C-alpha cells in the first residue's frame, strides 16, 4: 500500500511516498481502507521536530475516514463508513496511508449525509471543542469566544456553542476578506482583527460583558488578548499553539476577575468523555446544526503541500474519495477562497 512517511523530523523535505505492507488485523483492531486523512497542527509539530517522543520513520496522520474491510464484528460490519482519531501518527503509524488498523474504541460510524472527506476532519476538531466546552462548564446562555474561525478547533467550538444555545458564539480572523468569507458562511459574530482588537470586539458584541468561556487553540498574542476578554468568573482553556508556544499574560486578568485558566489534551481524556462528546456531536451533524467545512483537499502524494497550506480544516484524499459535498459554496476541488 502507499503511505506518506517521514524519514526524519526536519521539515517538509523529509516526507516521502513509500510502499508498505498492508496492516494485519489483530489484538482487537479493525482494518480500515482509508479514503481521506485529516491534516492537523500536530502533524506539523511532529514533522518539524518539536515532539520529542516521535521516532522516524513514521507515517503521520492521527485522524481520518474510510470503510471497514475486516475485524469490525457486528458493531462495524464490513463496508461500514467510519471516522476515527487516536495515537496514530504519534507513537505508531498512520492515517497518511491507504490502509490502517484502528482500535475499535476509536471508531465512530459516519452519519448519513456526511461525506468521507468532511468526516476525515471531524474527530480531532469536534471532539476537542466539545470536551473543552464541557470541562469549562458550558451551558446554554453562556458567551463563548473561540478565536480563529478559519481554524479547525476555532470553527468547531464556534459552531457547537451556537448550536447548543450560547448567547454569543464569537470568533475572530486576521483579515477583512476572511471576515467577509466567514459572514457569507453564516458566522455573524466574527471579529475582524485588521480593524479592531480582540478585546474591543468582544466588548462591542457583548455590550461590555465579556466572555464566560474562551477556547484558544492559537497561543501567542491571541491568547494574551483572549485572556483580557474574560467576564467575571470566566474560564480560558488553552489547547493549541499554532501561532506560537509562548505568551505574555496580565495576571490581573485572572486575579481581579476571579477567572481561571487551564489546559486540555484530547488524547488524555477518558473513554467515557469521548463517548459523551460523540453523543452530543453526532445528532448535531445529523440535524445540520453543525456543518464541517473543508478548506482544501490534496492528494496523498502532496502531503507536504497540505502541511504548508495548513489553515482551517485540510484533508488528504485517497483513491475513490467523494469530495464535492465537503467544500463550501464558492470553493473548487483544490482551492477555497
Amino acid at each position: 500500500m502507499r503511505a506518506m512517511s517521514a524519514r526524519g523530523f526536519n521539515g517538509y523535505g523529509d516526507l516521502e511516498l513509500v510502499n508498505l505492507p498492508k496492516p494485519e488485523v489483530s489484538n482487537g483492531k479493525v482494518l480500515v481502507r482509508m479514503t481521506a486523512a485529516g491534516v492537523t497542527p500536530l502533524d506539523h509539530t511532529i514533522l518539524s521536530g518539536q515532539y520529542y517522543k516521535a521516532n522516524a520513520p513514521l507515517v503521520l496522520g492521527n485522524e481520518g475516514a474510510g470503510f471497514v474491510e475486516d475485524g469490525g464484528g457486528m458493531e462495524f460490519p464490513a463496508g461500514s463508513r467510519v471516522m476515527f482519531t487516536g495515537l496514530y501518527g504519534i507513537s505508531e503509524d498512520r492515517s497518511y496511508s491507504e490502509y490502517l488498523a484502528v482500535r475499535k474504541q476509536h471508531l465512530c460510524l459516519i452519519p448519513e449525509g456526511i461525506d468521507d472527506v468532511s468526516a476525515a476532519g471531524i474527530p480531532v476538531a469536534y471532539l476537542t471543542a466539545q470536551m473543552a466546552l464541557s470541562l469549562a462548564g458550558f451551558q446554554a446562555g453562556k458567551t463563548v469566544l473561540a478565536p480563529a474561525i478559519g481554524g479547525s478547533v476555532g470553527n468547531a467550538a464556534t459552531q457547537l456553542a451556537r448550536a447548543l444555545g450560547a448567547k454569543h458564539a464569537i470568533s475572530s480572523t486576521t483579515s477583512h476578506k476572511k471576515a467577509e468569507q466567514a459572514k457569507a458562511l453564516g458566522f455573524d459574530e466574527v471579529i475582524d482583527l485588521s480593524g479592531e482588537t480582540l478585546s474591543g470586539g468582544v466588548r462591542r458584541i457583548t455590550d461590555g460583558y465579556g466572555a464566560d468561556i474562551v477556547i484558544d487553540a492559537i497561543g501567542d498574542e491571541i491568547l494574551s488578548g483572549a485572556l483580557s476578554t474574560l467576564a467575571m468568573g470566566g474560564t480560558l482553556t488553552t489547547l493549541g499553539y499554532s501561532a506560537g508556544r509562548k505568551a505574555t499574560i496580565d495576571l490581573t486578568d485572572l486575579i481581579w476577575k476571579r477567572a481561571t485558566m487551564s489546559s486540555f489534551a484530547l488524547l488524555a481524556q477518558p473513554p467515557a468523555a469521548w463517548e459523551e462528546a460523540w453523543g452530543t456531536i453526532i445528532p448535531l451533524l445529523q440535524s445540520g446544526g453543525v456543518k464541517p467545512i473543508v478548506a482544501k483537499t490534496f492528494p496523498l502524494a502532496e502531503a507536504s503541500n497540505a502541511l504548508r497550506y495548513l489553515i482551517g480544516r485540510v484533508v488528504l484524499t485517497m483513491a475513490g474519495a467523494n469530495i464535492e459535498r465537503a467544500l463550501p459554496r464558492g470553493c473548487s476541488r483544490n482551492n477555497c477562497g
Side-chain angles (χ1 to χ4, degrees):
M1 68 171 187
R2 296 187 312 153
M4 185 59 72
S5 179
R7 59 177 176 263
F9 303 124
N10 300 299
Y12 308 119
D14 278 345
L15 281 178
E16 60 181 351
L17 194 62
V18 299
N19 284 305
L20 297 175
K22 189 176 176 179
E24 297 181 359
V25 176
S26 62
N27 300 321
K29 291 185 178 181
V30 179
L31 182 63
V32 175
R33 178 175 66 81
M34 298 291 299
T35 54
V39 179
T40 71
L42 178 59
D43 302 334
H44 185 274
T45 295
I46 294 170
L47 185 61
S48 59
Q50 299 179 60
Y51 186 73
Y52 68 97
K53 292 184 179 180
N55 295 306
L58 177 69
V59 178
L60 300 180
N62 74 319
E63 69 174 350
F67 294 88
V68 171
E69 282 213 347
D70 190 19
M74 296 183 63
E75 188 177 0
F76 300 101
S80 298
R81 298 173 61 241
V82 292
M83 54 187 172
F84 65 88
T85 186
L87 291 169
Y88 316 102
I90 303 172
S91 59
E92 61 182 82
D93 293 344
R94 70 255 188 176
S95 66
Y96 288 15
S97 61
E98 293 178 318
Y99 288 89
L100 180 64
V102 181
R103 291 173 179 81
K104 187 176 289 188
Q105 65 265 31
H106 293 158
L107 293 174
C108 180
L109 292 171
I110 299 172
E112 289 297 323
I114 303 295
D115 62 89
D116 47 356
V117 171
S118 293
I122 288 173
V124 170
Y126 283 85
L127 285 172
T128 296
Q130 178 56 35
M131 289 188 211
L133 284 169
S134 179
L135 289 171
F138 175 82
Q139 295 177 344
K142 295 279 190 180
T143 290
V144 174
L145 168 65
I149 195 64
S152 59
V153 174
N155 191 284
T158 302
Q159 288 202 48
L160 285 166
R162 183 173 61 180
L164 295 171
K167 182 176 182 179
H168 296 286
I170 306 168
S171 191
S172 64
T173 186
T174 56
S175 75
H176 182 70
K177 179 180 179 182
K178 291 178 181 179
E180 291 298 310
Q181 290 173 340
K183 186 176 181 179
L185 291 171
F187 301 104
D188 55 5
E189 292 186 321
V190 174
I191 299 166
D192 178 0
L193 296 179
S194 69
E196 62 181 332
T197 64
L198 192 61
S199 58
V202 172
R203 285 196 300 270
R204 171 179 56 79
I205 292 170
T206 65
D207 293 325
Y209 175 80
D212 297 304
I213 295 171
V214 173
I215 306 297
D216 175 54
I218 307 302
D220 199 45
E221 294 181 1
I222 292 295
L223 185 147
S224 304
L227 193 63
S228 71
T229 72
L230 286 175
M232 289 293 293
T235 298
L236 183 146
T237 301
T238 175
L239 49 81
Y241 40 83
S242 60
R245 294 185 172 200
K246 297 182 179 181
T248 300
I249 66 172
D250 185 338
L251 294 176
T252 62
D253 288 330
L254 293 171
I255 298 169
W256 291 354
K257 296 177 181 178
R258 298 189 291 280
T260 59
M261 182 176 177
S262 63
S263 63
F264 175 88
L266 174 62
L267 298 178
Q269 304 309 306
W274 288 53
E275 185 176 353
E276 182 181 354
W278 277 131
T280 298
I281 296 164
I282 295 300
L284 291 173
L285 289 168
Q286 292 171 324
S287 68
V290 298
K291 297 179 180 180
I293 297 171
V294 176
K296 194 168 183 177
T297 65
F298 293 83
L300 177 62
E302 296 181 19
S304 61
N305 289 332
L307 284 163
R308 288 186 179 93
Y309 184 85
L310 187 57
I311 181 172
R313 190 168 291 103
V314 181
V315 168
L316 295 175
T317 55
M318 318 295 172
N322 179 346
I323 74 170
E324 297 301 336
R325 287 183 296 162
L327 302 174
R329 184 170 55 187
C331 296
S332 67
R333 183 177 294 260
N334 290 313
N335 189 40
C336 179

